[in-house]
Short mmCIF file of all heavy atoms in Angstrom, two decimals:
data_model
loop_
_atom_site.label_atom_id
_atom_site.label_comp_id
_atom_site.label_asym_id
_atom_site.label_seq_id
_atom_site.Cartn_x
_atom_site.Cartn_y
_atom_site.Cartn_z
N VAL P 14 30.63 56.03 -41.39
CA VAL P 14 29.98 55.02 -42.24
C VAL P 14 29.44 55.67 -43.52
O VAL P 14 29.64 55.16 -44.63
CB VAL P 14 28.85 54.29 -41.46
CG1 VAL P 14 28.01 53.44 -42.39
CG2 VAL P 14 29.46 53.43 -40.37
N VAL P 15 28.79 56.83 -43.37
CA VAL P 15 28.22 57.49 -44.56
C VAL P 15 29.32 57.89 -45.54
O VAL P 15 29.20 57.65 -46.75
CB VAL P 15 27.38 58.73 -44.14
CG1 VAL P 15 26.98 59.54 -45.37
CG2 VAL P 15 26.14 58.30 -43.40
N VAL P 16 30.42 58.46 -45.01
CA VAL P 16 31.53 58.87 -45.90
C VAL P 16 32.04 57.64 -46.67
O VAL P 16 32.21 57.68 -47.89
CB VAL P 16 32.68 59.53 -45.09
CG1 VAL P 16 33.90 59.73 -45.96
CG2 VAL P 16 32.23 60.86 -44.53
N TYR P 17 32.25 56.53 -45.95
CA TYR P 17 32.75 55.32 -46.61
C TYR P 17 31.75 54.76 -47.62
O TYR P 17 32.13 54.37 -48.72
CB TYR P 17 33.11 54.25 -45.56
CG TYR P 17 34.58 54.22 -45.28
CD1 TYR P 17 35.09 54.87 -44.17
CD2 TYR P 17 35.46 53.61 -46.15
CE1 TYR P 17 36.45 54.89 -43.92
CE2 TYR P 17 36.83 53.62 -45.91
CZ TYR P 17 37.31 54.27 -44.79
OH TYR P 17 38.66 54.30 -44.57
N VAL P 18 30.46 54.73 -47.23
CA VAL P 18 29.46 54.15 -48.14
C VAL P 18 29.37 54.97 -49.43
O VAL P 18 29.39 54.42 -50.53
CB VAL P 18 28.08 54.08 -47.42
CG1 VAL P 18 26.97 53.79 -48.42
CG2 VAL P 18 28.11 53.00 -46.35
N VAL P 19 29.31 56.31 -49.28
CA VAL P 19 29.16 57.15 -50.48
C VAL P 19 30.39 56.98 -51.38
O VAL P 19 30.25 56.80 -52.60
CB VAL P 19 28.99 58.64 -50.09
CG1 VAL P 19 28.96 59.52 -51.32
CG2 VAL P 19 27.73 58.83 -49.29
N LEU P 20 31.57 57.00 -50.79
CA LEU P 20 32.78 56.90 -51.62
C LEU P 20 32.92 55.49 -52.23
O LEU P 20 33.39 55.35 -53.36
CB LEU P 20 34.02 57.29 -50.82
CG LEU P 20 34.07 58.78 -50.42
CD1 LEU P 20 35.34 59.12 -49.69
CD2 LEU P 20 33.93 59.71 -51.63
N THR P 21 32.47 54.45 -51.50
CA THR P 21 32.50 53.10 -52.08
C THR P 21 31.52 53.00 -53.25
O THR P 21 31.83 52.40 -54.28
CB THR P 21 32.15 52.05 -51.00
OG1 THR P 21 32.92 52.32 -49.84
CG2 THR P 21 32.43 50.64 -51.47
N LEU P 22 30.34 53.61 -53.07
CA LEU P 22 29.37 53.61 -54.19
C LEU P 22 29.98 54.32 -55.40
O LEU P 22 29.80 53.88 -56.55
CB LEU P 22 28.09 54.34 -53.76
CG LEU P 22 27.08 53.51 -52.96
CD1 LEU P 22 25.94 54.40 -52.50
CD2 LEU P 22 26.53 52.37 -53.81
N LEU P 23 30.70 55.41 -55.13
CA LEU P 23 31.35 56.14 -56.22
C LEU P 23 32.36 55.25 -56.94
O LEU P 23 32.45 55.28 -58.18
CB LEU P 23 32.07 57.37 -55.68
CG LEU P 23 31.31 58.68 -55.71
CD1 LEU P 23 32.17 59.79 -55.14
CD2 LEU P 23 30.92 59.03 -57.13
N ILE P 24 33.11 54.45 -56.16
CA ILE P 24 34.09 53.54 -56.77
C ILE P 24 33.39 52.61 -57.74
O ILE P 24 33.82 52.44 -58.89
CB ILE P 24 34.82 52.71 -55.69
CG1 ILE P 24 35.68 53.63 -54.82
CG2 ILE P 24 35.69 51.62 -56.31
CD1 ILE P 24 36.35 52.93 -53.66
N PHE P 25 32.26 52.03 -57.29
CA PHE P 25 31.53 51.09 -58.16
C PHE P 25 31.02 51.81 -59.42
O PHE P 25 31.12 51.28 -60.52
CB PHE P 25 30.37 50.45 -57.39
CG PHE P 25 30.83 49.37 -56.46
CD1 PHE P 25 30.63 49.46 -55.10
CD2 PHE P 25 31.51 48.24 -56.95
CE1 PHE P 25 31.08 48.48 -54.23
CE2 PHE P 25 31.97 47.25 -56.09
CZ PHE P 25 31.75 47.37 -54.73
N CYS P 26 30.46 53.01 -59.22
CA CYS P 26 29.94 53.75 -60.39
C CYS P 26 31.05 54.01 -61.39
O CYS P 26 30.87 53.81 -62.60
CB CYS P 26 29.34 55.08 -59.94
SG CYS P 26 27.79 54.90 -59.13
N ILE P 27 32.22 54.47 -60.88
CA ILE P 27 33.33 54.78 -61.79
C ILE P 27 33.76 53.52 -62.53
O ILE P 27 33.97 53.53 -63.74
CB ILE P 27 34.53 55.38 -61.01
CG1 ILE P 27 34.15 56.74 -60.42
CG2 ILE P 27 35.75 55.55 -61.91
CD1 ILE P 27 35.17 57.28 -59.43
N LYS P 28 33.86 52.40 -61.78
CA LYS P 28 34.31 51.16 -62.41
C LYS P 28 33.32 50.71 -63.48
O LYS P 28 33.72 50.28 -64.56
CB LYS P 28 34.46 50.07 -61.34
CG LYS P 28 35.70 50.29 -60.49
CD LYS P 28 36.18 49.02 -59.85
CE LYS P 28 37.61 49.23 -59.40
NZ LYS P 28 38.19 48.11 -58.73
N ILE P 29 32.02 50.83 -63.16
CA ILE P 29 31.00 50.36 -64.11
C ILE P 29 31.05 51.20 -65.39
O ILE P 29 31.13 50.68 -66.49
CB ILE P 29 29.60 50.39 -63.46
CG1 ILE P 29 29.50 49.31 -62.39
CG2 ILE P 29 28.50 50.21 -64.51
CD1 ILE P 29 28.30 49.41 -61.48
N TYR P 30 31.02 52.54 -65.22
CA TYR P 30 30.96 53.33 -66.46
C TYR P 30 32.28 53.28 -67.24
O TYR P 30 32.28 53.34 -68.46
CB TYR P 30 30.40 54.75 -66.24
CG TYR P 30 31.33 55.82 -65.74
CD1 TYR P 30 32.37 56.30 -66.52
CD2 TYR P 30 31.13 56.41 -64.50
CE1 TYR P 30 33.20 57.31 -66.07
CE2 TYR P 30 31.95 57.41 -64.04
CZ TYR P 30 33.00 57.86 -64.82
OH TYR P 30 33.81 58.86 -64.38
N SER P 31 33.40 53.12 -66.50
CA SER P 31 34.68 52.98 -67.22
C SER P 31 34.70 51.70 -68.04
O SER P 31 35.17 51.69 -69.18
CB SER P 31 35.84 52.94 -66.22
OG SER P 31 35.98 54.17 -65.60
N ALA P 32 34.16 50.61 -67.44
CA ALA P 32 34.12 49.33 -68.15
C ALA P 32 33.25 49.44 -69.40
O ALA P 32 33.62 48.96 -70.48
CB ALA P 32 33.59 48.25 -67.22
N ILE P 33 32.08 50.10 -69.23
CA ILE P 33 31.16 50.25 -70.39
C ILE P 33 31.85 51.04 -71.50
O ILE P 33 31.83 50.66 -72.67
CB ILE P 33 29.84 50.94 -69.95
CG1 ILE P 33 29.08 50.02 -68.98
CG2 ILE P 33 28.97 51.27 -71.16
CD1 ILE P 33 27.91 50.68 -68.29
N ILE P 34 32.48 52.15 -71.11
CA ILE P 34 33.12 53.00 -72.12
C ILE P 34 34.25 52.26 -72.83
O ILE P 34 34.35 52.30 -74.06
CB ILE P 34 33.66 54.30 -71.46
CG1 ILE P 34 32.49 55.19 -71.08
CG2 ILE P 34 34.59 55.06 -72.42
CD1 ILE P 34 32.87 56.34 -70.17
N SER P 35 35.07 51.53 -72.05
CA SER P 35 36.20 50.84 -72.70
C SER P 35 35.69 49.72 -73.62
O SER P 35 36.26 49.46 -74.66
CB SER P 35 37.18 50.30 -71.66
OG SER P 35 36.61 49.24 -70.97
N LYS P 36 34.55 49.08 -73.22
CA LYS P 36 33.97 48.04 -74.07
C LYS P 36 33.52 48.64 -75.40
O LYS P 36 33.78 48.11 -76.47
CB LYS P 36 32.78 47.41 -73.34
CG LYS P 36 32.51 45.98 -73.75
CD LYS P 36 31.49 45.38 -72.83
CE LYS P 36 31.31 43.92 -73.14
NZ LYS P 36 30.32 43.29 -72.28
N PHE P 37 32.83 49.79 -75.30
CA PHE P 37 32.34 50.45 -76.52
C PHE P 37 33.49 50.88 -77.42
O PHE P 37 33.45 50.68 -78.62
CB PHE P 37 31.49 51.68 -76.15
CG PHE P 37 30.04 51.36 -76.05
CD1 PHE P 37 29.42 51.23 -74.81
CD2 PHE P 37 29.27 51.17 -77.19
CE1 PHE P 37 28.08 50.93 -74.71
CE2 PHE P 37 27.92 50.87 -77.10
CZ PHE P 37 27.31 50.74 -75.85
N SER P 38 34.52 51.46 -76.79
CA SER P 38 35.64 51.96 -77.62
C SER P 38 36.40 50.79 -78.25
O SER P 38 36.84 50.88 -79.39
CB SER P 38 36.57 52.86 -76.81
OG SER P 38 37.12 52.13 -75.77
N ASN P 39 36.49 49.67 -77.50
CA ASN P 39 37.15 48.48 -78.08
C ASN P 39 36.37 47.96 -79.28
O ASN P 39 36.93 47.64 -80.31
CB ASN P 39 37.23 47.35 -77.04
CG ASN P 39 38.37 47.61 -76.07
OD1 ASN P 39 39.20 48.47 -76.32
ND2 ASN P 39 38.38 46.89 -74.96
N ARG P 40 35.01 47.90 -79.07
CA ARG P 40 34.17 47.39 -80.16
C ARG P 40 34.32 48.28 -81.39
O ARG P 40 34.41 47.83 -82.51
CB ARG P 40 32.71 47.35 -79.69
CG ARG P 40 31.85 46.46 -80.56
CD ARG P 40 30.44 46.43 -80.05
NE ARG P 40 30.32 45.71 -78.78
CZ ARG P 40 29.21 45.69 -78.04
NH1 ARG P 40 28.15 46.39 -78.42
NH2 ARG P 40 29.15 44.98 -76.94
N LYS P 41 34.34 49.59 -81.14
CA LYS P 41 34.45 50.54 -82.25
C LYS P 41 35.78 50.34 -82.99
O LYS P 41 35.81 50.30 -84.22
CB LYS P 41 34.37 51.96 -81.70
CG LYS P 41 33.86 52.97 -82.70
CD LYS P 41 33.76 54.32 -82.04
CE LYS P 41 33.76 55.41 -83.09
NZ LYS P 41 33.98 56.72 -82.53
#
Side-chain angles (χ1 to χ4, degrees):
Chain P
V14 169
V15 171
V16 170
Y17 260 98
V18 167
V19 175
L20 293 182
T21 312
L22 278 174
L23 265 180
I24 293 175
F25 283 119
C26 286
I27 294 170
K28 286 203 163 178
I29 290 168
Y30 83 68
S31 292
I33 294 169
I34 289 168
S35 70
K36 207 170 185 180
F37 267 103
S38 62
N39 282 347
R40 198 179 291 171
K41 206 177 159 193

